[in-house]
Amino acid sequence: MSLDPWVALETQRRRRHWKQWPWGLIALGLAVLCWVGLFGVLLVGAASMRPPGDGSSAINLKPYLFALLAAELLATCGGFAAAVLAWRLNRGKASAALAIILLSLWLGVLLHDLF
């Protein structure tokens, strides 16, 4: 590492600021991750529904289910936050709108039985 202040200043300028990140694509990626996670939650739920047997091959799937649900919650909150940032900073409005649509549909599927 150089001790030259001009080199340090140039590397600081080259670093990408968080306002320049592609927030729309980040939101869209998190929305797709939510749908993939929902598929994982459905697979874990289906795997836990087995006929009662002798219990020797039974696996406790609650920790996996709770871990998947926590990841879903984090991805959903992050997706909505990234979509808002993309919309306000003009960093991918179209993909942010698509991400909001996908996340809204995901929440509708998830909360369908509650209401």
Side-chain angles (χ1 to χ4, degrees):
M1 187 168 139
S2 174
L3 296 176
D4 187 18
W6 294 108
V7 174
L9 185 62
E10 186 60 34
T11 41
Q12 186 179 11
R13 284 186 187 151
R14 270 189 284 152
R15 202 172 342 166
R16 195 176 222 186
H17 197 261
W18 65 270
K19 287 185 180 181
Q20 296 174 347
W21 291 356
W23 287 108
L25 291 176
I26 292 171
L28 189 59
L30 287 173
V32 169
L33 184 67
C34 284
W35 280 98
V36 170
L38 180 65
F39 180 68
V41 167
L42 290 176
L43 281 179
V44 169
S48 67
M49 293 182 204
R50 55 185 172 269
D54 57 333
S56 62
S57 64
I59 299 173
N60 187 10
L61 295 175
K62 275 187 183 179
Y64 300 110
L65 183 64
F66 288 143
L68 275 172
L69 290 176
E72 289 283 319
L73 181 64
L74 284 174
T76 304
C77 293
F80 277 120
V84 168
L85 278 172
W87 197 264
R88 292 191 52 120
L89 297 174
N90 291 330
R91 303 292 301 168
K93 281 189 174 184
S95 54
L98 183 60
I100 288 290
I101 290 170
L102 283 174
L103 287 170
S104 299
L105 286 172
W106 180 82
L107 282 175
V109 166
L110 194 67
L111 300 175
H112 179 264
D113 291 334
L114 294 179
F115 299 108

